[in-house]
């Protein structure tokens, strides 16, 4: 019995040693391996072009050939890495009979005036891979001018509905480098031009240049892209031709409400418009107690609004709170799409004014009602930096309009055009700030008895 056990153990051990042989699948590389007496990599010079080349692999032994191609200057791979085929411009393998050469064609990701290193190894019929790595360097000529490919770019030529904030990817027939000069983006409708001329605003990947930091394009307009000859050059110094006229353009979508609100944050001059009724009379009689009817204000996003569509505007009657009467610190501006303000989800109270208007009913700030039918909160223009806010002082229950007034805002200075990334950062900041308002308490209205 003991002899049988010993025999079985010997058999098992023998099977184990044989199964752990030397296959590359197990990652094993023998300490010593006799490479073929001849393993050559030869360039087929007559077939080398700007965008392709051929390499002839020759081996004097049976087995399989493996190759891997990298840009010149890349750290040389080991035989195991070549065998794996991972992480290279191109790689592959094929059977070899020891006499017939194999032609390897490389016709993708190859460009003019670049050098490429080709590495080859041999794998025997019993699955041993050579420790010797054979290398060949091929340099491509440069006979063609680099060309801008509008239809392959992003946004593509004549494409529509593109984000006014997203990066612009410019694709070329081969890798090019930005040389300096202006890349201009001109809005066909408004005529507004954005100029990008710093390398830090761009990044390169493969055959594309991405213009990442261009601010904000005009909404709902055709954006025409232009540059001068020499703005981009290939590795051999050949220039991409100038882009002019309508050689490349795309159109943008309209701003969403949150985008418009974020873009309209800034400093504004405001002007109050009265219509000769109660609001004007009450203000005129008590003007020293209130905010000036004209002045300057910083419009900021309302941190209590999770939609990010509301700015906090002026309320010239806000100082009523100093005398024990209710008044909102700010009157809210809710941005919709297409340049129109929207009706607030919840109207803002105005009981601080109701008592002086001769009513004890709840009074609110409501939108202007055109022809006693259509509510019109107002309008805004991102490009020109204007906001017209139309308000009615109304009885909440009945909708009776006590009086009307407007606030007109005009942006101070140039239009602040944050990048897409800046808008995202501001949105993240507001998410954190809104958490502070989870226990927000509404101010209760007070009965009014003073101020004439």
């Amino acid at each position: 019995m003991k002899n049988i056990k010993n025999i079985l153990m010997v058999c098992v051990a023998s099977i184990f040693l044989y199964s752990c042989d030397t296959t590359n699948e197990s990652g094993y590389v023998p300490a010593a391996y006799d490479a073929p007496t001849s393993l050559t990599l030869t360039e087929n010079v007559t077939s080398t072009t700007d965008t392709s080349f051929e390499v002839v692999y020759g081996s004097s032994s049976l087995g399989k050939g493996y190759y891997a191609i990298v840009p010149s200057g890349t750290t040389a791979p080991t035989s195991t890495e070549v065998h794996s085929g991972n992480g290279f411009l191109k790689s592959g393998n094929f059977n070899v009979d020891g006499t017939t050469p194999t032609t390897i064609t490389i016709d993708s990701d190859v460009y003019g005036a670049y050098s490429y290193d080709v590495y080859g190894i041999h794998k025997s019929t019993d699955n041993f891979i050579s420790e010797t790595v054979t290398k060949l360097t091929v340099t491509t000529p440069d006979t063609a001018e680099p060309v801008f490919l509008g239809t392959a770019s992003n946004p593509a030529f004549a494409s529509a509905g593109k984000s006014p904030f997203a990066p612009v990817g410019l694709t070329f027939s081969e890798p090019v480098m930005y040389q300096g000069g202006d890349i201009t983006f001109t809005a066909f409708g408004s005529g507004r031009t954005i100029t990008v001329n710093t390398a830090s605003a761009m990044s390169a990947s493969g055959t594309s240049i991405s213009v990442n930091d261009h601010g904000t394009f005009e909404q709902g307009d055709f954006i025409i892209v232009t540059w001068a000859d020499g703005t981009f050059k290939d590795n051999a110094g050949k220039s991409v031709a100038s882009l002019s006229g309508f050689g490349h353009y795309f159109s943008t979508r309209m701003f969403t409400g949150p985008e418009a609100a974020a873009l309209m944050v800034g400093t504004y001059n405001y002007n109050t418009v009265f219509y000769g009724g109660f609001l004007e009379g009450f203000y005129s009689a008590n003007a020293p107690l209130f905010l000036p009817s004209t002045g300057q204000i910083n419009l900021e996003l309302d941190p209590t609004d999770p939609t990010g569509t509301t700015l906090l505007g002026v309320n010239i009657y806000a100082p009523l709170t100093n005398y024990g009467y209710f008044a909102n610190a700010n009157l809210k501006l809710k941005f919709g799409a297409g340049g129109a303000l929207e009706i607030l989800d919840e109207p803002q109270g105005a009981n601080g004014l109701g008592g002086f208007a001769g009513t004890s009913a709840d009074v609110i700030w409501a939108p202007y009602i055109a022809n006693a039918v259509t509510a019109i909160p107002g309008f805004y223009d991102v490009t020109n930096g204007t906001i017209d806010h139309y308000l009615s002082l109304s009885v909440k229950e009945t909708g009776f309009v006590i009086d009307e007034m407007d606030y007109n805002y005009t942006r101070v200075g140039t239009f602040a055009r944050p990048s897409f990334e800046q808008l995202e950062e501001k949105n993240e900041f507001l998410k954190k700030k809104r958490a502070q308002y989870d226990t927000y308490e509404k101010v209760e209205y007070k009965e009014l008895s003073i101020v004439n």
Side-chain angles (χ1 to χ4, degrees):
M1 179 65 77
K2 289 183 179 179
N3 289 334
I4 292 175
K5 288 184 178 179
N6 289 336
I7 291 172
L8 288 174
M9 289 179 65
V10 170
C11 290
V12 170
S14 299
I15 293 170
F16 176 79
L17 290 172
Y18 182 79
S19 64
C20 290
D21 60 3
T22 49
T23 62
N24 289 288
E25 286 72 17
S26 66
Y28 175 81
V29 179
Y33 166 70
D34 291 331
T37 56
S38 174
L39 194 165
T40 60
L41 295 174
T42 308
E43 177 186 358
N44 185 356
V45 178
T46 59
S47 297
T48 301
T49 69
D50 291 26
T51 57
S52 67
F53 60 88
E54 292 180 352
V55 172
V56 179
Y57 178 106
S59 172
S60 61
S61 301
L62 290 170
K64 296 189 75 171
Y66 289 76
Y67 71 92
I69 300 168
V70 296
S72 288
T74 305
T75 301
T78 65
S79 60
T80 301
E81 290 170 333
V82 174
H83 179 263
S84 75
N86 297 322
F88 303 105
L89 286 178
K90 188 172 183 180
S91 62
N93 62 82
F94 41 81
N95 294 323
V96 292
D97 60 13
T99 58
T100 308
T102 300
T103 298
I104 305 167
T105 300
I106 298 89
D107 54 7
S108 61
D109 297 322
V110 175
Y111 306 102
Y114 285 89
S115 293
Y116 301 90
D117 292 336
V118 184
Y119 294 93
I121 64 168
H122 178 265
K123 181 178 181 179
S124 68
T125 55
D126 55 351
N127 292 326
F128 286 108
I129 63 173
S130 170
E131 292 180 338
T132 302
V133 181
T134 301
K135 175 184 176 183
L136 170 70
T137 298
V138 176
T139 299
T140 55
D142 188 73
T143 61
E145 305 286 340
V147 177
F148 171 62
L149 306 176
T151 55
S153 296
N154 186 20
F157 173 69
S159 57
K162 299 303 176 180
S163 169
F165 309 98
V168 174
L170 307 171
T171 300
F172 302 87
S173 58
E174 59 181 289
V176 297
M177 284 70 74
Y178 173 67
Q179 303 295 309
D182 294 343
I183 304 172
T184 60
F185 301 90
T186 304
F188 179 76
S190 71
R192 182 166 67 84
T193 297
I194 293 175
T195 301
V196 178
N197 52 21
T198 57
S200 61
M202 309 174 207
S203 61
S205 177
T207 61
S208 294
I209 298 286
S210 178
V211 182
N212 303 312
D213 189 6
H214 55 67
T216 301
F217 292 135
E218 194 69 68
Q219 63 172 339
D221 208 339
F222 289 93
I223 307 300
I224 303 167
V225 187
T226 58
W227 61 69
D229 181 73
T231 302
F232 302 100
K233 291 184 178 181
D234 67 10
N235 200 41
K238 290 184 172 66
S239 295
V240 176
S242 63
L243 186 63
S244 59
F246 292 90
H248 188 66
Y249 67 86
F250 56 88
S251 62
T252 54
R253 59 168 173 76
M254 299 297 290
F255 297 135
T256 64
E259 289 169 348
L263 291 167
M264 294 297 275
V265 168
T267 302
Y268 288 76
N269 290 321
Y270 71 85
N271 176 60
T272 308
V273 179
F274 293 111
Y275 291 95
F278 160 74
L279 289 170
E280 182 174 10
F282 183 62
Y283 180 87
S284 298
N286 300 278
L289 304 179
F290 302 136
L291 298 179
S293 60
T294 60
Q296 195 169 96
I297 184 175
N298 290 323
L299 297 184
E300 296 291 344
L301 287 166
D302 177 7
T304 68
D305 177 13
T307 68
T309 60
T310 308
L311 297 186
L312 299 176
V314 70
N315 179 9
I316 59 173
Y317 299 102
L320 277 173
T321 57
N322 298 331
Y323 307 98
Y325 303 104
F326 173 78
N328 298 106
N330 304 94
L331 296 181
K332 296 181 178 182
L333 306 161
K334 186 175 179 63
F335 287 75
L341 296 180
E342 290 188 346
I343 299 172
L344 297 177
D345 296 333
E346 291 290 336
Q348 291 183 274
N351 281 354
L353 290 169
F356 300 102
T359 179
S360 59
D362 281 352
V363 176
I364 59 171
W365 289 112
Y368 164 67
I369 307 297
N371 301 319
V373 176
T374 305
I376 304 178
F379 301 95
Y380 67 89
D381 187 322
V382 175
T383 300
N384 294 320
T386 59
I387 306 171
D388 297 320
H389 192 196
Y390 306 150
L391 292 162
S392 296
L393 185 67
S394 304
V395 176
K396 183 176 182 179
E397 294 300 324
T398 65
F400 174 78
V401 176
I402 298 171
D403 199 5
E404 297 168 346
M405 67 181 296
D406 304 337
Y407 288 109
N408 297 330
Y409 300 87
T410 304
R411 186 174 49 231
V412 174
T414 58
F415 174 28
R417 302 178 179 89
S419 67
F420 177 76
E421 290 77 12
Q422 289 171 322
L423 285 174
E424 288 295 298
E425 289 174 2
K426 177 166 284 188
N427 189 46
E428 288 301 315
F429 168 76
L430 287 171
K431 285 180 181 178
K432 295 177 181 178
K433 193 169 183 180
R434 286 176 195 124
Q436 302 172 8
Y437 291 83
D438 289 341
T439 57
Y440 175 72
E441 294 182 7
K442 295 183 178 179
V443 180
E444 293 183 357
Y445 297 150
K446 296 183 178 180
E447 291 296 329
L448 309 176
S449 58
I450 60 175
V451 184
N452 194 338

